[in-house]
Amino acid sequence: MSDTAGTPSEQPGAGPAPVPGTGSSPTGLGRTRRRRRWARGIAVVAAVVLVVAAAAGWAVYMKLNGNITPDEAAAAELERFEKDRPTALVKGAQNILVIGSDSRHGDENGRYGRDPGTERSDTAILLHLSAGRSSATAVSIPRDLMVHVPGCRRPDGSRSAPMFTAFNSAFELGGSACTVRTVEKLTDIRVDHHVVVDFEGFKDMVDAVDGVEVCLREPIDDKDAKLTLPAGRVTLTGEQALGYVRARKTLGDGSDTGRMERQQRFLGALVSKVLGTDVLLNPVKLYPVLDAATSSLTTDPELASLRGLYELVRGLREIPTEDVQFLTVPREPYTGNANRDQLAQPAAEELFERLRTDGPVRVGTERDEKTTENASGEATEEPSPAPTFSGNTAAEDTCT
């Protein structure tokens, strides 16, 4: 007889050894195995959910990413003239040229007139982002400003001769690359990125944020702009907003100056709405905004992706709306043609120097008080750390 006690199955009267996982047992092995199977099931379901979510997220990313058109031709043209371009002076500061195209190409854009096979820059804004992203300054460039346009590559491959002409001719002659080079020649500011947006993209962006509120001092009835609006506070749809920022003949004094001021105030209201709501933090609201913002964009290749755009704007949501500024480059009637503009010096060069060196810029309206009273009641100039240019900020109420 062995000195070693037998296993339970070997003891007299002992039943068969429990088989783990086949049911309840004194050892609890069955319950443990069921818990393990349940945990594995939960893990599998969770993994499937994560995979589906990741796939959906990737699909959304690819959809938005694919909306953006890279401007490869412009990149090649700008590379050709790299040695002639200005040098960026301040690390981290960014200058982005935003071009609003008046193209009638396509079914939607074609509703705004016939397509003659060319397009001009209906709007051009040089957006300067400070190195620390503490401010953003958007400078409108009048389309009728007389400028030196360099020789540019035309759409048919030929090259134009350098000429002195209206600014918006640059886009017609050589597209975005020609416009970038013209702006750089005019300002001596390095343009880091460019963005081209057409009529449809502008409308979709406004509709994606459920309209933008403006204040109208008098009713509008403009047949050319297809715009009929009452006076007072009005929330504009995308279609109405397009007519509002493009109208010229029946609003204000009918000049391009008034049109640019309306554009600046409208963009300020749009920025204020996006930054002042929960759009940026709410995926349900953010997706249509991103879809609209990317659908009609043509950008330089570096920006032509969600990653590129994110890297550019990630710090913008921290900028207070009062530090998002809009102004028009200082100009005056052109001496050779009162219907054209020329730079007003030395104010224009002072502005360009501030932007080149990332210096402070301040905007104010004609209603702003420029003097304060001292203790004796005499008027004195208010000290200013930066020159003041006529304009507005995103924090301003358009009704005040």
Side-chain angles (χ1 to χ4, degrees):
M1 186 177 192
S2 171
D3 294 334
T4 304
T7 63
S9 61
E10 294 172 335
Q11 298 300 318
V19 180
T22 58
S24 62
S25 70
T27 63
L29 291 176
R31 288 193 298 274
T32 299
R33 183 56 59 88
R34 286 198 301 275
R35 284 196 296 269
R36 289 174 180 170
R37 287 204 306 269
W38 176 252
R40 282 199 300 270
I42 291 294
V44 169
V45 171
V48 170
V49 170
L50 288 174
V51 168
V52 171
W58 180 251
V60 169
Y61 176 88
M62 293 302 293
K63 164 69 166 59
L64 296 175
N65 205 57
N67 284 347
I68 310 169
T69 302
D71 200 348
E72 302 286 359
E77 178 74 353
L78 291 173
E79 179 64 26
R80 176 189 176 110
F81 292 94
E82 177 59 36
K83 67 180 186 303
D84 300 324
R85 301 181 65 195
T87 301
L89 300 181
V90 180
K91 183 179 181 180
Q94 294 278 290
N95 296 295
I96 303 97
L97 184 62
V98 181
I99 304 169
S101 166
D102 70 355
S103 171
R104 269 66 169 181
H105 179 70
D107 293 338
E108 291 297 327
N109 292 324
R111 292 188 297 150
Y112 303 103
R114 68 184 184 86
D115 180 9
T118 61
E119 54 185 322
R120 295 193 181 191
S121 53
D122 198 58
T123 301
I125 296 174
L126 182 61
L127 175 63
H128 175 79
L129 306 179
S130 65
R133 297 300 186 268
S134 60
S135 67
T137 303
V139 181
S140 295
I141 302 176
R143 60 183 185 179
D144 292 332
L145 185 71
M146 296 300 291
V147 297
H148 292 280
V149 177
C152 296
R153 185 181 185 277
R154 295 190 180 98
D156 64 4
S158 63
R159 303 201 74 86
S160 65
M163 63 184 71
F164 186 65
T165 185
F167 172 75
N168 67 344
S169 297
F171 195 68
E172 180 182 17
L173 285 169
S176 52
C178 191
T179 305
V180 168
R181 293 178 59 213
T182 299
V183 169
E184 291 184 337
K185 187 176 183 66
L186 177 73
T187 65
D188 199 29
I189 295 172
R190 173 79 178 207
V191 175
D192 302 290
H193 302 289
H194 68 271
V195 175
V196 181
V197 59
D198 63 18
F199 293 157
E200 192 64 19
F202 175 83
K203 290 191 324 181
D204 288 347
M205 182 66 185
V206 175
D207 286 332
V209 296
D210 297 324
V212 174
E213 183 182 79
V214 297
C215 188
L216 306 178
R217 299 184 183 279
E218 56 187 29
I220 296 176
D221 186 9
D222 190 317
K223 294 181 179 179
D224 289 340
K226 299 180 177 61
L227 195 62
T228 302
L229 297 169
R233 292 186 182 273
V234 180
T235 297
L236 302 181
T237 65
E239 187 75 34
Q240 292 170 328
L242 180 62
Y244 177 71
V245 300
R246 295 190 66 241
R248 242 178 119 164
K249 298 178 181 178
T250 61
L251 297 185
D253 59 5
S255 69
D256 202 38
T257 298
R259 192 177 75 110
M260 284 187 295
E261 290 175 352
R262 283 198 310 278
Q263 290 174 352
Q264 292 165 5
R265 291 192 176 278
F266 181 85
L267 290 175
L270 174 60
V271 169
S272 181
K273 181 162 188 180
V274 172
L275 295 181
T277 64
D278 62 346
V279 169
L280 297 179
L281 301 177
N282 186 333
V284 175
K285 293 183 178 180
L286 182 59
Y287 175 78
V289 174
L290 289 177
D291 191 31
T294 57
S295 289
S296 297
L297 289 186
T298 299
T299 77
D300 57 279
E302 189 177 345
L303 273 190
S305 69
L306 285 183
R307 181 184 297 275
L309 290 174
Y310 172 75
E311 289 298 322
L312 177 68
V313 304
R314 63 179 174 176
L316 296 185
R317 63 184 179 187
E318 304 301 327
I319 300 178
T321 52
E322 59 267 23
D323 292 323
V324 179
Q325 306 176 115
F326 300 86
L327 66 148
T328 301
V329 62
R331 83 277 187 217
E332 60 192 11
Y334 174 50
T335 54
N337 183 343
N339 293 321
R340 297 287 184 266
D341 291 325
Q342 65 185 26
L343 293 180
Q345 300 295 4
E349 179 51 36
E350 187 173 24
L351 172 62
F352 298 153
E353 176 66 16
R354 290 273 170 173
L355 299 179
R356 275 195 295 270
T357 60
D358 201 28
V361 174
R362 193 175 73 169
V363 300
T365 66
E366 294 179 354
R367 297 187 300 273
D368 291 338
E369 293 183 0
K370 298 182 180 179
T371 61
T372 58
E373 291 189 354
N374 60 22
S376 63
E378 296 177 355
T380 60
E381 291 188 0
E382 181 182 352
S384 172
T388 300
F389 299 91
S390 178
N392 65 281
T393 73
E396 292 181 24
D397 187 335
T398 58
C399 279
T400 59

